[in-house]
Each structure stands twice: as structure tokens, then as C-alpha cells.
Amino acid sequence: MSTVLIRGGTLITDRHTYGADIFVEDERIHDIAPHIPPETADRVIDAAGMLVMPGGIDVHTHLDMPFGGTTSSDDFETGTRAAAFGGTTTIVDFAIQAKGTKMRDALDTWWKKAEGKACIDYGLHMIVTDLGTSGLEDMDDMVSEGVASFKLFMAYPNVLMVDDATIFKALGQTAKNGALVCMHAENGGVIDTIVQRALAEGKTAPVYHALTRPTRAEAEAVHRSIALAEMAGAPVYIVHLSSEDALNQVREARDRGLPAFAETCPQYLLLSIEELERPDFEGAKYVFTPPLREKRNLPKLWDGLRHDHLQVVSTDHCPFCFADQKHLGKDDFTKIPNGGPGIENRLQLIHHHGVNAGKISLNRFVELVSATPARLFGMYPRKGALEVGSDADIVVWDPNALHTISAASHHMRVDYSMFEGFEVRGNARQVLSRGEVIVEDGRFHGRAGRGNYLRRQARGGAWN
Ligand code: URP
Ligand code: ZN
Ligand code: ZN
């Protein structure tokens, strides 16, 4: 295995900023010191003027995921390659338990999807749809396979939604086995009723996807999730939080000292409901769940990131092509596959609109996109850290590189960008995954299948 020296950069972790060199050997960080002699390494990366950070960790992606009669357009190869271009070196994707089947069947299915394809390391959450008689033992079985987190849905009735008793039982099981429950928090029954009413009134355009999902339906479900977790004696993690209403519920719980955590995504920080009103059905590009909200929510979410009411920025990357897939809902917004692309642009957008705009520090940036996801999801300090012994998942970040986000140049397998034309300053120059330079100056040097499945530890940071 060749050795790499990253020389002369400024190291940024969630806690510290300092100048040092990093020596990489056998896929790990072997040494961190002020001046490591260059002749000791096979390859020297000159990082003068660069920031050197732990690779990004995106704990919310949907690659090769069946949804609404189609499948998300990035598979584990195209999706993880695009992630790497943007400085993300680890993802945690979602396997889905089909109703009436064992979670192990889903795990096998998702391992097969990733096998020979993943370009970076990946973990898996398990989406629980059915807790039959052996269901709770299934959860323990998953934890023993390194699936240290589960997602449950309060939305999508008859498809993914589970009832409160199921959620409460699952939370109770994690109180014993140390996994973390992730909640899709929207009141599915209420939303479905509003949706049926809208359709009956002939309201079929994409914007009705947003207008039929009020923020109170999100806030109520966030409140209920946290209450159920409190009664079960378990922590809880709210995924893709989108509104001030919902954020207030998390903040109140955390103020009471409860182990409630939440993520938001770049789309909720940077885009608003007006996007769904674009002409020529282009609003469909912005149909995902929860929906984009009124503009006034955006600064509240940024405040939430700054004050640690929100702990993580993930992407909820779930791409569907506009030309064929989004058009499935041309005459009925409920048939538009829910999801949007973003796996490649998370670090660029949060660095530019967060750090460059003075909303968050560089250390907070690393905390949000790498260290906290690693801690909460049982990967720290193997991932999310620059420490001797950590995996050498490292991003050499050029804070002054200018980049314009566009579907014409991105690497995601999808025919549009939610952030088309956005100009950012700051981009990944070199990306190392377990010591291998897989992206350099806009070129991919990795290979499909080199990414490993990550067995994650239960009782991660949410339990401390
Ligand atoms: O619209 C979305 N978010 N699609 C992906 C599935 C989910 O709920 O995360
Ligand atoms: Zn969800
Ligand atoms: Zn999702």
C-alpha cells in the first residue's frame, strides 16, 4: 500500500483549527505533526493555502430505491461517485423492509445493490415497515450486522407508514439494543385527507404537493415522535426537518434535556415553496417530502444550525429524472415520485452559504457535515475525525475555488439540478477515501466496488 503525505495545510476538525501535516499509511492516518519529511512518502500532496478536513458523511441517501412505480436514478456506483466529487466519503443509505418479510431479506437486497458498485464506504439504516411477531428480534439481528439505526415513517399511509404502537415498540427495543431511531415526522393521516380533498377539487399541479402538507402536520409528528421516545426511554433523530414549527418542537425538547436530535438538508436552507410554481411542470423537480416551505423558515433553520437545535446537514438525496420519472405525475401531483438530487453539492452549498456568509464557523461546518453524523451513527472516530488511527477519509478543500452548480457538469445521474446556476466559493480539490486519492482536480480516480460496507456501533453519540 502506498503512503501519502498531505503537507502544509490547515487542519479543520469539529473542535480545532491548526497547521500540520498528515501522513497516511495502510488506509489510516498514521501521523499528524508539524513538519513530516516529504521523502518518507510515496506521494506528497501540497496543501498550502488549503483546508484539510475529515471527509463528508451523508447519513441520508436513497440510491437505487424503488418508489411510486419507479426507482431513484442514481445507483450505488453513480451516486457514490458523485458524492466523492463533492467531498463526501461516507454515506448511510436506507434498506427497506418489505411488509411481511424479514429485515435480513432487505439487508441482503441492499448489500447486493451496493456490491461491486460503491465507490466510497457505506452503511445502511433499516426502514421498518412491519413489526410482526419476530420483528423486535429482527431489530437486534440488524444491530449485530452493524445496522445501528432504523427509520420509521409517520407518513405515506398504506405504503411505509406505521402506527404509534409500532413506533413505541421499536423505540423500546432500541432502548435495549442501543440503536438510534430516525423518524420521518409528518402526520400522514391528516395529510392524506387534505390531499384527497385537493384532488377532488381538481388541484393537480405540483405546488399542491406543498400546499397539502402544512407545517403543523410536521410539528405535530415531531412532537409525537419525541413524546414516544421519551416514554420509551430512547433517543430519537428527526430526519429532513423543514420548518420553524417543527424546529420549535426539537428545541423545546432539547431545552428539557431530552436526547432529541434533528437534521435538515440544503434544499430547506436555500429554497422555498415558490420553486413548485415554476411553469411547464418544472415545479415537479422540487417535489419531495416534507415539501419546501415559505421563505421565512430559512433563516430560522440557519439559526437552528448555529445554536445546535439542529445537529446535522444531510441531503436526502433521492433523484428522479425530470424527463421521464417526474412526468409520471403530469396530471396528478400525488404520482410525482418524491425526492430530489443533492449528494454532490452538500459541502459546497453549506460552506458557501454557511461559512462564507458568516452564519457558521468552519469548525461548525465540519461538525454538521461530518463529525456529528459520525458520532450519532456509530462511526466516530473511525470516520468524521482527523486522528491517528482514523480512516484516511480526507478532503483537501480549496476555500477559494469558484464553481457554478449545473446539471451540465454535475456527476449525479439525473437531468436537472435543484441548485442550477448557484455560484459557490469553496470546493474539494483532492478527496481521499481510506488513503486512496479518488478525486483530484475534477477527475475521478477511484473505482466501482472499492467502497466497503461499514459495520456501525450501537450506543453512539445519541446515548451519551
Ligand atoms: O421525498 C423524499 N424525501 N423522498 C425520499 C423518502 C423520504 O421520505 O426520505
Ligand atoms: Zn423521509
Ligand atoms: Zn429520505
Side-chain angles (χ1 to χ4, degrees):
M1 181 75 191
S2 65
T3 54
V4 181
L5 176 64
I6 303 172
R7 206 168 167 230
T10 301
L11 276 51
I12 313 281
T13 70
D14 56 337
R15 308 268 154 92
H16 303 288
T17 301
Y18 61 109
D21 298 348
I22 298 184
F23 190 81
V24 172
E25 190 173 1
D26 289 337
E27 304 194 349
R28 305 254 167 124
I29 295 178
H30 195 262
D31 193 12
I32 303 178
H35 298 288
I36 301 174
E39 56 278 9
T40 54
D42 301 319
R43 160 99 206 257
V44 178
I45 294 174
D46 177 7
M50 300 292 130
L51 308 177
V52 179
M53 314 183 297
I57 299 177
D58 190 345
V59 291
H60 192 149
T61 68
H62 301 278
L63 303 176
D64 199 357
M65 185 191 82
F67 187 98
T70 186
T71 303
S72 59
S73 58
D74 267 320
D75 64 14
F76 274 80
E77 180 172 350
T78 61
T80 56
R81 192 173 56 214
F85 272 103
T88 289
T89 51
T90 302
I91 60 162
V92 186
D93 204 86
F94 291 86
I96 307 177
Q97 177 202 23
K99 286 200 167 101
T101 69
K102 308 283 288 177
M103 294 177 201
R104 179 158 287 276
D105 300 336
L107 186 60
D108 287 341
T109 302
W110 258 261
W111 274 340
K112 280 204 194 88
K113 285 174 188 273
E115 199 182 312
K117 291 197 162 184
C119 303
I120 57 174
D121 292 350
Y122 68 98
L124 292 169
H125 312 278
M126 180 60 60
I127 291 178
V128 177
T129 60
D130 186 1
L131 279 187
T133 39
S134 68
L136 293 171
E137 287 149 33
D138 261 27
M139 290 179 76
D140 295 346
D141 183 34
M142 289 300 98
V143 172
S144 71
E145 292 289 5
V147 178
S149 44
F150 298 88
K151 182 178 179 187
L152 286 90
F153 282 77
M154 291 172 144
Y156 300 120
N158 307 317
V159 188
L160 296 166
M161 185 170 140
V162 288
D163 62 14
D164 288 353
T166 301
I167 296 166
F168 183 63
K169 283 181 203 160
L171 283 160
Q173 199 66 14
T174 63
K176 291 184 240 166
N177 66 28
L180 180 60
V181 166
C182 304
M183 291 302 307
H184 179 124
E186 286 185 299
N187 187 317
V190 167
I191 288 169
D192 207 40
T193 305
I194 302 172
V195 164
Q196 295 314 321
R197 212 184 286 154
L199 289 177
E201 291 167 5
K203 296 169 173 168
T204 58
V207 71
Y208 290 105
H209 172 75
L211 295 175
T212 53
R213 305 184 94 91
T215 60
R216 292 309 294 162
E218 185 182 25
E220 183 279 327
V222 169
H223 181 88
R224 188 159 31 107
S225 299
I226 294 171
L228 293 169
E230 186 178 4
M231 288 187 277
V236 66
Y237 179 91
I238 310 296
V239 294
H240 47 44
L241 188 141
S242 69
S243 65
E244 181 192 9
D245 248 3
L247 176 61
N248 287 341
Q249 302 299 325
V250 177
R251 198 193 57 236
E252 280 168 22
R254 290 177 63 80
D255 285 349
R256 285 203 291 127
L258 292 177
F261 304 88
E263 63 174 25
T264 190
C265 312
Q267 52 272 33
Y268 301 119
L269 292 160
L270 298 168
L271 305 174
S272 57
I273 189 169
E274 289 76 21
E275 305 292 355
L276 284 103
E277 286 166 346
R278 286 180 180 233
D280 303 324
F281 193 60
E282 292 222 8
K285 294 176 176 176
Y286 302 89
V287 167
F288 40 78
T289 309
L292 291 175
R293 304 299 191 181
E294 302 287 339
K295 268 206 177 80
R296 63 185 156 72
N297 289 275
L298 278 54
K300 303 294 181 189
L301 295 179
W302 281 108
D303 281 352
L305 291 177
R306 192 165 47 236
H307 298 300
D308 203 36
H309 308 316
L310 294 167
Q311 291 71 43
V312 171
V313 178
S314 67
T315 60
D316 195 7
H317 176 75
C318 188
F320 296 102
C321 288
F322 180 61
D324 47 351
Q325 297 181 295
K326 289 286 186 180
H327 273 80
L328 292 170
K330 185 89 187 74
D331 304 314
D332 175 352
F333 71 90
T334 65
K335 298 199 166 58
I336 301 170
N338 284 198
I343 202 167
E344 187 168 351
N345 305 123
R346 181 179 61 127
L347 270 61
Q348 297 158 352
L349 290 166
I350 301 304
H351 176 265
H352 185 79
H353 291 278
V355 178
N356 293 350
K359 292 191 176 88
I360 53 171
S361 68
L362 273 170
N363 305 99
R364 181 65 178 154
F365 168 61
V366 169
E367 193 169 30
L368 291 167
V369 302
S370 180
T372 300
R375 287 180 206 274
L376 290 179
F377 289 95
M379 295 176 268
Y380 193 89
R382 179 170 169 197
K383 307 287 190 190
L386 297 178
E387 288 179 17
V388 172
S390 297
D391 281 359
D393 288 4
I394 302 171
V395 179
V396 179
W397 185 263
D398 182 346
N400 293 311
L402 297 173
H403 177 67
T404 303
I405 295 172
S406 173
S409 56
H410 73 201
H411 303 87
M412 300 177 284
R413 190 162 66 187
V414 60
D415 58 358
Y416 73 97
S417 170
M418 292 199 288
F419 305 101
E420 184 69 36
F422 274 48
E423 292 177 358
V424 291
R425 183 162 53 79
N427 204 357
R429 199 183 70 174
Q430 279 103 355
V431 180
L432 285 76
S433 166
R434 280 181 283 103
E436 189 180 339
V437 179
I438 59 168
V439 170
E440 182 157 34
D441 296 327
R443 288 228 166 74
F444 186 67
H445 299 278
R447 77 191 147 73
R450 62 167 301 290
N452 289 339
Y453 171 67
L454 267 172
R455 288 178 182 275
R456 296 178 293 117
Q457 304 290 321
R459 300 206 179 275
W463 292 89
N464 300 330

